[in-house]
Amino acid sequence: LGATPLTCVVLAEDGETICAAGGAGVRVYCQRRRRMLRRSEVGTAPLTSCAQLRGFDLLCLGSTDAALHLYSVGRGQTVQSLPAGGSVAALALGEAGLLCCSAAGARLHRLVPSGLSAYGDQLSLPAALPPGSGLASAALHPGLPLAAAGALDGGVVLWDLRSGGPPVRTWRHPGGAPVSGVAFSAGGLVSCSLDGSVLCARQPH
């Protein structure tokens, strides 16, 4: 898709269109036709993460400029920019909405008829998470109102979105390295860290 290093990619609902982001640009490629459909720049700051809103011609792009950009694939331009509170590290899309994790914490943008709520609900962080440590990875449960995030200091945070209160559970990877990935499964939550460790935890019901 070009010489620019790519940082994230999504496959559109049609199963044919690939949207990839890297640097400050977006590349849209059609597998069936085997050709590039569009190249667009989205501001000037590097893009870090992306997710497609189901049923919409919208790509959510996280950026180091502390914003969440809604990009119209068909029009080839940004149609709205939402505040993210800090440099966006990870995005996760689920039934509850879009979870946006950044250096400043986590926000949940609810799904609305037009796409996303303009101002996300701030999810409180545990007191054990040092200020400024930031979040590096994100996940939303596909069927339950649960959200999770991995921190740069090795911590993992789990929220029950029904309560709207503090995290229901936290734990840490032994090496204290950034948690590069979190994912929900049928039985619980798994997380991996740059220290080489993988942790599994049962989820609350």
Side-chain angles (χ1 to χ4, degrees):
L1 296 183
T4 302
L6 300 173
T7 55
C8 56
V9 63
V10 294
L11 181 64
E13 291 177 289
D14 62 10
E16 298 180 354
T17 306
I18 298 172
C19 300
V26 175
R27 309 290 182 263
V28 181
Y29 180 84
C30 179
Q31 292 188 84
R32 182 172 55 84
R33 300 179 188 176
R34 295 185 178 276
R35 69 181 180 90
M36 188 78 68
L37 301 180
R38 191 181 302 280
R39 294 172 183 259
S40 306
E41 296 301 308
V42 182
T44 57
L47 300 171
T48 60
S49 47
C50 58
Q52 187 191 22
L53 289 185
R54 300 183 186 94
F56 292 90
D57 173 43
L58 290 176
L59 192 65
C60 300
L61 299 167
S63 173
T64 58
D65 64 0
L68 183 63
H69 302 287
L70 299 186
Y71 172 87
S72 169
V73 177
R75 294 162 61 181
Q77 64 184 36
T78 301
V79 295
Q80 188 178 10
S81 294
L82 309 176
S87 177
V88 178
L91 298 174
L93 187 65
E95 294 298 324
L98 182 78
L99 180 64
C100 177
C101 290
S102 70
R107 293 187 182 196
L108 181 67
H109 292 266
R110 304 285 180 176
L111 297 176
V112 297
S114 61
L116 287 177
S117 58
Y119 292 93
D121 301 329
Q122 189 76 37
L123 300 181
S124 60
L125 294 174
L129 190 66
S133 64
L135 300 175
S137 51
L140 281 172
H141 194 285
L144 296 174
L146 298 173
L152 293 173
D153 70 342
V156 180
V157 186
L158 178 66
W159 292 274
D160 185 337
L161 301 176
R162 292 168 295 194
S163 67
V168 295
R169 191 171 180 186
T170 60
W171 58 94
R172 291 179 60 82
H173 281 257
V179 177
S180 52
V182 288
F184 284 101
S185 67
L189 176 71
V190 63
S191 59
C192 63
S193 168
L194 294 183
D195 63 13
S197 63
V198 175
L199 297 179
C200 299
R202 291 187 179 278
Q203 65 198 22
H205 297 286

